[in-house]
Structures are given as structure tokens and as C-alpha cells.
Amino acid sequence: MLVIADTSPLVAIAACDGLSWLDTLFADVRVPQAVFQEATVQGKPQADKLRLYLQDKVLAIDLHDFVITTEGLGNGELQAMALYKKQHADRLLIDDLRARKAALRNDIHIIGSVGILLLAKENQLISTIKPYLHIIQQTDAHLSPKLIDKALLIAGE
């Protein structure tokens, strides 16, 4: 299964020391150049971990080849969606609500950092998601109380 990733969920998963989960759960993880640049900016949380993890996972993409409904999305999000389309990926790893809505309107199958936690538990990579939800909440990611409650219910916690 090929997954194209955006910056925010990568930072969240890196904060959980869970980048190896991605390699276990998916056959291939790729990012566009803009996501690599955003994720590895000097001083950004988890930049060093992400630089090492992503160094051989970057693919080039030309946005001029694609028409994507944007609604004010960032370059990383746009490139990730275009790369998803170009590579015929199975999932787009993305957390931003506006970007998730745009992805769905563009027939892109999405998963977020919380979905990764649920898959990691389902595949016995972790025993509980609750502490990782707490870690993600300490990053710049916004998890609504409703999302947290739903994830905990699904996880049986």
C-alpha cells in the first residue's frame, strides 16, 4: 500500500516515536519536495528525525499537471494531493481539516495521525492509543474532543 504524507501528521507521528509504524503498516511511504522542506526546517519540532526518515522518500511533482480544488491550502498539501494522484496512491496521510475536505472532494482516500494510532494498535505495534493522543495534542496538531472520544471508543479504551 502506497501512502503519500503531509507534514502535520508526520510531525505528530514522529513526536510519538512512531515513524517505524508507517514502514510496518504500509509498503511504501512517499512525500513531495514541499513536505520534505516543511518538515525539516531548522528548529521545527522533529525536524532531525524527519530528515533522516524522509531522505529517501521524496518524489518530485509538478502542480501544473493537476487540477485540484484548493480553498487556500498550503504548497505541501497541494503537492501531496497531486503526488497522490500521480502515483495512484492508496492513502493520503493528512490531518488539517480544510485539506481533508479538499482531498475528499478530489476523490482522495485519506487517513490521519489518529487513524495511524488505531492501525498501530490493531496491528499490535502499540497496546494503547491514549498516551499517544496526549503526545499529539502537545504538538501543533489540533485534535477535537469529539475526535479523541471517537478514537478512544473505537480503540476500546
Side-chain angles (χ1 to χ4, degrees):
M1 180 179 283
L2 172 60
V3 172
I4 305 299
D6 186 36
T7 308
S8 297
L10 286 171
V11 171
I13 293 164
C16 295
D17 290 323
L19 292 173
S20 64
W21 305 338
L22 297 176
D23 294 326
T24 302
L25 296 169
F26 306 108
D28 200 8
V29 177
R30 299 291 174 174
V31 296
Q33 186 65 40
V35 168
F36 180 80
Q37 290 170 339
E38 290 173 4
T40 60
V41 168
Q42 186 67 28
K44 185 169 184 122
Q46 310 304 322
D48 292 337
K49 281 183 194 177
L50 288 168
R51 186 175 294 105
L52 288 172
Y53 178 73
L54 296 173
Q55 66 187 350
D56 62 345
K57 297 178 178 354
V58 182
L59 295 175
I61 187 73
D62 183 358
L63 289 178
H64 294 98
D65 294 337
F66 297 90
V67 176
I68 296 176
T69 305
T70 61
E71 298 185 22
L73 302 180
N75 199 37
E77 294 159 336
L78 291 172
Q79 282 191 20
M81 287 183 205
L83 189 58
Y84 171 98
K85 293 282 194 177
K86 180 179 181 184
Q87 295 293 313
H88 305 285
D90 298 291
R91 292 284 181 276
L92 176 65
L93 176 56
I94 196 158
D95 277 347
D96 179 81
L97 184 59
R98 184 184 317 176
R100 290 171 69 89
K101 287 179 180 179
L104 291 172
R105 279 193 297 279
N106 285 282
D107 296 319
I108 293 173
H109 300 280
I110 60 173
I111 188 168
S113 55
V114 174
I116 296 298
L117 293 179
L118 291 167
L119 280 176
K121 182 175 180 180
E122 180 181 315
N123 286 273
Q124 301 175 343
L125 301 175
I126 58 176
S127 59
T128 179
I129 69 167
K130 192 171 188 174
Y132 296 106
L133 289 170
H134 181 69
I135 291 169
I136 291 173
Q137 286 179 298
Q138 304 308 308
T139 69
D140 287 341
H142 171 72
L143 302 180
S144 71
K146 184 177 178 181
L147 175 61
I148 292 170
D149 290 345
K150 183 176 180 181
L152 291 170
L153 181 65
I154 291 169
E157 295 179 32

